[in-house]
Amino acid sequence: MTSEPALTVLIVDDELPLREELRLFPWQDYGAELIGEAENGAEALQMCGGMQPDVVITDITMPVMDGLELCRSIRSQYPLTQIVLLTCHSEFEYAREALKLGAL
């Protein structure tokens, strides 16, 4: 019996407590594997080059490269990668921009 390959997930957030919390999620129970984490978009984009994750879960507001810019870069370089944006922003414009970029 062969098992389906796991979806690979990369977490991107500048806040350590959130990254720690997401590490505790039972990824394998949902057919996924956490393959790495980055503190900002620039670091994440570099990691995408080597890992090519199936899913990137990212914050919008981060230093160096924010989540929206990361989303633009991933869309152009790795169009099959799915992006999930996490945010505490109440401004709808962030969500609108993220949806335009194909994020979930």
Side-chain angles (χ1 to χ4, degrees), residues 20-61:
E20 290 174 336
E21 191 71 28
L22 288 171
R23 275 186 223 141
L24 298 175
F25 184 78
W27 297 102
Q28 64 284 353
D29 292 352
Y30 296 92
E33 176 187 1
L34 181 60
I35 59 169
E37 55 186 71
E39 293 182 21
N40 61 63
E43 183 182 351
L45 192 58
Q46 184 176 22
M47 292 174 79
C48 284
M51 297 177 172
Q52 296 191 2
D54 298 308
V55 179
V56 172
I57 300 174
T58 183
D59 189 13
I60 289 180
T61 307

Side-chain angles (χ1 to χ4, degrees), residues 22-98:
L22 288 171
R23 275 186 223 141
L24 298 175
F25 184 78
W27 297 102
Q28 64 284 353
D29 292 352
Y30 296 92
E33 176 187 1
L34 181 60
I35 59 169
E37 55 186 71
E39 293 182 21
N40 61 63
E43 183 182 351
L45 192 58
Q46 184 176 22
M47 292 174 79
C48 284
M51 297 177 172
Q52 296 191 2
D54 298 308
V55 179
V56 172
I57 300 174
T58 183
D59 189 13
I60 289 180
T61 307
M62 298 178 291
V64 184
M65 177 190 288
D66 69 23
L68 293 177
E69 185 58 36
L70 174 61
C71 189
R72 286 184 196 94
S73 297
I74 288 173
R75 278 285 156 256
S76 68
Q77 296 177 44
Y78 311 101
L80 298 179
T81 298
Q82 295 297 307
I83 302 163
V84 177
L85 282 162
L86 302 175
T87 185
C88 293
H89 282 285
S90 59
E91 290 186 39
F92 185 69
E93 191 54 41
Y94 283 109
R96 184 189 327 249
E97 181 68 19

